[in-house]
Short mmCIF file of all heavy atoms in Angstrom, two decimals:
data_model
loop_
_atom_site.label_atom_id
_atom_site.label_comp_id
_atom_site.label_asym_id
_atom_site.label_seq_id
_atom_site.Cartn_x
_atom_site.Cartn_y
_atom_site.Cartn_z
N ILE H 550 16.57 36.24 -13.59
CA ILE H 550 17.52 37.34 -13.32
C ILE H 550 18.89 36.68 -13.17
O ILE H 550 19.07 35.82 -12.28
CB ILE H 550 17.11 38.13 -12.10
CG1 ILE H 550 15.81 38.84 -12.32
CG2 ILE H 550 18.22 39.16 -11.77
CD1 ILE H 550 15.24 39.51 -11.04
N LEU H 551 19.84 37.08 -13.94
CA LEU H 551 21.25 36.64 -13.81
C LEU H 551 21.96 37.76 -13.11
O LEU H 551 22.34 38.75 -13.69
CB LEU H 551 21.83 36.31 -15.16
CG LEU H 551 23.29 35.84 -15.18
CD1 LEU H 551 23.40 34.51 -14.34
CD2 LEU H 551 23.81 35.63 -16.58
N ASN H 552 22.30 37.54 -11.79
CA ASN H 552 22.86 38.57 -10.96
C ASN H 552 24.37 38.40 -10.89
O ASN H 552 24.95 37.34 -11.18
CB ASN H 552 22.23 38.50 -9.58
CG ASN H 552 22.57 39.73 -8.72
OD1 ASN H 552 22.93 40.81 -9.25
ND2 ASN H 552 22.46 39.62 -7.42
N LYS H 553 25.05 39.51 -10.48
CA LYS H 553 26.50 39.53 -10.33
C LYS H 553 27.26 39.32 -11.63
O LYS H 553 28.26 38.68 -11.69
CB LYS H 553 26.95 38.57 -9.27
CG LYS H 553 26.25 38.70 -7.91
CD LYS H 553 26.74 37.74 -6.90
CE LYS H 553 25.94 37.82 -5.59
NZ LYS H 553 26.40 36.93 -4.52
N VAL H 554 26.71 39.90 -12.71
CA VAL H 554 27.30 39.72 -14.02
C VAL H 554 28.70 40.39 -14.16
O VAL H 554 29.45 40.05 -15.02
CB VAL H 554 26.40 40.24 -15.17
CG1 VAL H 554 25.15 39.40 -15.23
CG2 VAL H 554 26.04 41.71 -14.98
N ASP H 555 29.02 41.27 -13.21
CA ASP H 555 30.32 41.88 -13.22
C ASP H 555 31.44 40.91 -12.79
O ASP H 555 32.62 41.23 -12.90
CB ASP H 555 30.35 43.11 -12.28
CG ASP H 555 29.81 42.79 -10.91
OD1 ASP H 555 28.66 42.26 -10.84
OD2 ASP H 555 30.48 43.06 -9.92
N THR H 556 31.05 39.71 -12.36
CA THR H 556 32.04 38.69 -11.97
C THR H 556 32.21 37.55 -12.95
O THR H 556 32.81 36.54 -12.66
CB THR H 556 31.66 38.08 -10.60
OG1 THR H 556 30.44 37.30 -10.69
CG2 THR H 556 31.45 39.15 -9.53
N MET H 557 31.67 37.72 -14.16
CA MET H 557 31.70 36.61 -15.16
C MET H 557 33.09 36.15 -15.46
O MET H 557 33.36 34.93 -15.51
CB MET H 557 30.98 37.03 -16.45
CG MET H 557 29.44 36.92 -16.39
SD MET H 557 28.75 37.11 -18.03
CE MET H 557 27.00 37.01 -17.65
N GLU H 558 33.99 37.02 -15.66
CA GLU H 558 35.39 36.63 -16.02
C GLU H 558 36.03 35.95 -14.84
O GLU H 558 36.76 34.98 -15.03
CB GLU H 558 36.17 37.87 -16.46
CG GLU H 558 35.75 38.43 -17.81
CD GLU H 558 36.70 39.53 -18.27
OE1 GLU H 558 37.76 39.72 -17.64
OE2 GLU H 558 36.32 40.18 -19.28
N VAL H 559 35.78 36.41 -13.70
CA VAL H 559 36.39 35.81 -12.46
C VAL H 559 35.98 34.36 -12.33
O VAL H 559 36.81 33.47 -11.97
CB VAL H 559 36.02 36.58 -11.22
CG1 VAL H 559 36.53 35.89 -9.96
CG2 VAL H 559 36.52 37.98 -11.31
N PHE H 560 34.69 34.07 -12.60
CA PHE H 560 34.21 32.71 -12.39
C PHE H 560 34.06 31.89 -13.68
O PHE H 560 33.50 30.80 -13.68
CB PHE H 560 32.86 32.80 -11.68
CG PHE H 560 32.94 33.23 -10.25
CD1 PHE H 560 32.72 34.58 -9.95
CD2 PHE H 560 33.31 32.41 -9.24
CE1 PHE H 560 32.80 35.07 -8.63
CE2 PHE H 560 33.41 32.80 -7.93
CZ PHE H 560 33.15 34.17 -7.64
N ASN H 561 34.61 32.42 -14.75
CA ASN H 561 34.58 31.70 -16.09
C ASN H 561 33.18 31.26 -16.42
O ASN H 561 32.95 30.09 -16.83
CB ASN H 561 35.52 30.49 -16.03
CG ASN H 561 36.98 30.89 -15.87
OD1 ASN H 561 37.46 31.85 -16.51
ND2 ASN H 561 37.68 30.23 -14.95
N PHE H 562 32.23 32.14 -16.27
CA PHE H 562 30.84 31.83 -16.51
C PHE H 562 30.58 31.87 -18.04
O PHE H 562 30.86 32.88 -18.68
CB PHE H 562 29.95 32.83 -15.80
CG PHE H 562 28.49 32.56 -15.82
CD1 PHE H 562 27.89 31.83 -14.79
CD2 PHE H 562 27.66 33.01 -16.85
CE1 PHE H 562 26.51 31.55 -14.81
CE2 PHE H 562 26.30 32.75 -16.90
CZ PHE H 562 25.72 31.99 -15.83
N ASP H 563 30.04 30.79 -18.53
CA ASP H 563 29.75 30.71 -19.99
C ASP H 563 28.30 31.18 -20.17
O ASP H 563 27.36 30.36 -20.05
CB ASP H 563 29.95 29.29 -20.47
CG ASP H 563 29.85 29.17 -21.98
OD1 ASP H 563 29.15 30.01 -22.60
OD2 ASP H 563 30.41 28.20 -22.56
N GLU H 564 28.14 32.46 -20.50
CA GLU H 564 26.80 32.99 -20.62
C GLU H 564 25.99 32.38 -21.75
O GLU H 564 24.80 32.13 -21.56
CB GLU H 564 26.81 34.51 -20.80
CG GLU H 564 25.46 35.15 -20.80
CD GLU H 564 25.49 36.67 -20.94
OE1 GLU H 564 26.58 37.22 -21.10
OE2 GLU H 564 24.40 37.27 -20.90
N GLN H 565 26.62 32.07 -22.85
CA GLN H 565 25.90 31.50 -23.99
C GLN H 565 25.40 30.10 -23.63
O GLN H 565 24.27 29.73 -23.96
CB GLN H 565 26.76 31.46 -25.26
CG GLN H 565 25.97 31.08 -26.50
CD GLN H 565 24.81 32.08 -26.74
OE1 GLN H 565 25.02 33.26 -26.82
NE2 GLN H 565 23.60 31.55 -26.85
N ALA H 566 26.24 29.29 -22.95
CA ALA H 566 25.83 27.95 -22.59
C ALA H 566 24.64 28.04 -21.61
O ALA H 566 23.71 27.27 -21.71
CB ALA H 566 26.97 27.20 -21.95
N PHE H 567 24.69 29.00 -20.72
CA PHE H 567 23.59 29.22 -19.74
C PHE H 567 22.34 29.60 -20.49
O PHE H 567 21.25 29.02 -20.22
CB PHE H 567 24.01 30.30 -18.77
CG PHE H 567 22.88 30.77 -17.90
CD1 PHE H 567 22.41 29.98 -16.87
CD2 PHE H 567 22.25 31.99 -18.14
CE1 PHE H 567 21.38 30.42 -16.06
CE2 PHE H 567 21.19 32.44 -17.34
CZ PHE H 567 20.77 31.65 -16.29
N ARG H 568 22.42 30.54 -21.42
CA ARG H 568 21.24 30.95 -22.15
C ARG H 568 20.65 29.82 -22.98
O ARG H 568 19.43 29.61 -23.04
CB ARG H 568 21.59 32.15 -23.06
CG ARG H 568 21.81 33.44 -22.32
CD ARG H 568 22.09 34.60 -23.26
NE ARG H 568 22.21 35.89 -22.58
CZ ARG H 568 21.17 36.63 -22.30
NH1 ARG H 568 19.91 36.27 -22.73
NH2 ARG H 568 21.29 37.77 -21.66
N ASP H 569 21.50 29.03 -23.61
CA ASP H 569 21.05 27.92 -24.42
C ASP H 569 20.31 26.89 -23.53
O ASP H 569 19.25 26.36 -23.94
CB ASP H 569 22.24 27.22 -25.10
CG ASP H 569 22.84 28.05 -26.20
OD1 ASP H 569 22.22 29.05 -26.62
OD2 ASP H 569 23.97 27.76 -26.61
N ALA H 570 20.84 26.59 -22.34
CA ALA H 570 20.17 25.69 -21.44
C ALA H 570 18.82 26.18 -20.96
O ALA H 570 17.87 25.41 -20.91
CB ALA H 570 21.10 25.38 -20.24
N VAL H 571 18.76 27.45 -20.63
CA VAL H 571 17.53 28.04 -20.19
C VAL H 571 16.46 28.03 -21.31
O VAL H 571 15.29 27.68 -21.09
CB VAL H 571 17.71 29.50 -19.69
CG1 VAL H 571 16.37 30.17 -19.45
CG2 VAL H 571 18.56 29.50 -18.45
N THR H 572 16.90 28.32 -22.52
CA THR H 572 15.96 28.34 -23.68
C THR H 572 15.39 26.98 -23.90
O THR H 572 14.22 26.82 -24.26
CB THR H 572 16.71 28.87 -24.91
OG1 THR H 572 17.18 30.20 -24.68
CG2 THR H 572 15.80 28.85 -26.11
N GLN H 573 16.19 25.93 -23.76
CA GLN H 573 15.64 24.60 -23.95
C GLN H 573 14.61 24.24 -22.91
O GLN H 573 13.64 23.58 -23.19
CB GLN H 573 16.81 23.56 -23.83
CG GLN H 573 17.71 23.59 -25.07
CD GLN H 573 18.83 22.55 -24.94
OE1 GLN H 573 18.85 21.73 -24.01
NE2 GLN H 573 19.73 22.54 -25.93
N LEU H 574 14.79 24.76 -21.67
CA LEU H 574 13.88 24.41 -20.60
C LEU H 574 12.60 25.36 -20.63
O LEU H 574 11.48 24.90 -20.32
CB LEU H 574 14.55 24.60 -19.24
CG LEU H 574 15.62 23.57 -18.90
CD1 LEU H 574 16.42 24.05 -17.67
CD2 LEU H 574 15.05 22.21 -18.68
N ASN H 575 12.83 26.61 -20.97
CA ASN H 575 11.74 27.58 -20.86
C ASN H 575 11.96 28.65 -21.91
O ASN H 575 12.38 29.78 -21.57
CB ASN H 575 11.73 28.19 -19.44
CG ASN H 575 10.53 28.99 -19.14
OD1 ASN H 575 9.75 29.33 -20.06
ND2 ASN H 575 10.31 29.34 -17.87
N PRO H 576 11.63 28.43 -23.13
CA PRO H 576 11.91 29.38 -24.22
C PRO H 576 11.21 30.69 -24.12
O PRO H 576 11.72 31.70 -24.68
CB PRO H 576 11.46 28.63 -25.51
CG PRO H 576 10.54 27.55 -25.04
CD PRO H 576 11.00 27.17 -23.65
N ALA H 577 10.14 30.76 -23.34
CA ALA H 577 9.38 32.02 -23.23
C ALA H 577 9.97 32.95 -22.14
O ALA H 577 9.57 34.12 -22.10
CB ALA H 577 7.90 31.73 -22.89
N ALA H 578 10.84 32.45 -21.30
CA ALA H 578 11.33 33.26 -20.15
C ALA H 578 12.44 34.17 -20.59
O ALA H 578 13.51 33.73 -21.06
CB ALA H 578 11.81 32.33 -19.06
N PRO H 579 12.28 35.49 -20.43
CA PRO H 579 13.38 36.40 -20.69
C PRO H 579 14.43 36.31 -19.62
O PRO H 579 14.16 35.94 -18.47
CB PRO H 579 12.72 37.81 -20.63
CG PRO H 579 11.55 37.59 -19.78
CD PRO H 579 11.08 36.18 -19.99
N ILE H 580 15.69 36.62 -20.00
CA ILE H 580 16.83 36.60 -19.07
C ILE H 580 17.30 38.08 -18.91
O ILE H 580 17.59 38.69 -19.87
CB ILE H 580 17.95 35.73 -19.54
CG1 ILE H 580 17.47 34.25 -19.71
CG2 ILE H 580 19.14 35.78 -18.64
CD1 ILE H 580 18.46 33.34 -20.41
N PHE H 581 17.44 38.49 -17.64
CA PHE H 581 17.91 39.85 -17.37
C PHE H 581 19.23 39.83 -16.65
O PHE H 581 19.29 39.53 -15.47
CB PHE H 581 16.86 40.58 -16.50
CG PHE H 581 15.53 40.75 -17.20
CD1 PHE H 581 14.43 39.93 -16.92
CD2 PHE H 581 15.39 41.74 -18.17
CE1 PHE H 581 13.24 40.05 -17.55
CE2 PHE H 581 14.12 41.90 -18.83
CZ PHE H 581 13.09 41.05 -18.54
N PRO H 582 20.32 40.09 -17.36
CA PRO H 582 21.63 40.16 -16.69
C PRO H 582 21.73 41.48 -15.91
O PRO H 582 21.52 42.54 -16.46
CB PRO H 582 22.62 40.14 -17.86
CG PRO H 582 21.79 39.86 -19.12
CD PRO H 582 20.45 40.31 -18.83
N ILE H 583 22.04 41.35 -14.61
CA ILE H 583 22.13 42.55 -13.79
C ILE H 583 23.27 42.43 -12.82
O ILE H 583 23.85 41.40 -12.56
CB ILE H 583 20.83 42.79 -12.99
CG1 ILE H 583 20.70 41.86 -11.82
CG2 ILE H 583 19.59 42.80 -13.83
CD1 ILE H 583 19.65 42.23 -10.80
N SER H 584 23.67 43.59 -12.31
CA SER H 584 24.51 43.66 -11.10
C SER H 584 23.73 44.49 -10.09
O SER H 584 23.67 45.73 -10.23
CB SER H 584 25.89 44.32 -11.39
OG SER H 584 26.61 44.48 -10.18
N ALA H 585 23.06 43.85 -9.16
CA ALA H 585 22.14 44.50 -8.30
C ALA H 585 22.82 45.60 -7.45
O ALA H 585 22.23 46.67 -7.19
CB ALA H 585 21.44 43.53 -7.35
N THR H 586 24.04 45.33 -7.01
CA THR H 586 24.72 46.27 -6.16
C THR H 586 25.28 47.47 -6.91
O THR H 586 25.47 48.56 -6.35
CB THR H 586 25.85 45.63 -5.40
OG1 THR H 586 26.78 45.01 -6.32
CG2 THR H 586 25.34 44.55 -4.46
N LYS H 587 25.48 47.29 -8.21
CA LYS H 587 26.06 48.39 -9.07
C LYS H 587 25.00 49.05 -9.93
O LYS H 587 25.28 50.09 -10.59
CB LYS H 587 27.23 47.87 -9.86
CG LYS H 587 28.38 47.40 -9.04
CD LYS H 587 29.54 46.94 -9.84
CE LYS H 587 30.70 46.50 -8.98
NZ LYS H 587 31.88 46.06 -9.74
#
Side-chain angles (χ1 to χ4, degrees):
I550 296 172
L551 180 60
N552 193 20
K553 305 183 185 180
V554 294
D555 51 306
T556 67
M557 278 192 183
E558 290 187 9
V559 175
F560 291 98
N561 296 315
F562 188 92
D563 188 335
E564 184 177 4
Q565 190 57 56
F567 170 76
R568 287 180 175 275
D569 290 344
V571 171
T572 298
Q573 288 183 4
L574 292 168
N575 190 347
I580 300 171
F581 297 100
I583 74 167
S584 174
T586 57
K587 296 183 178 181

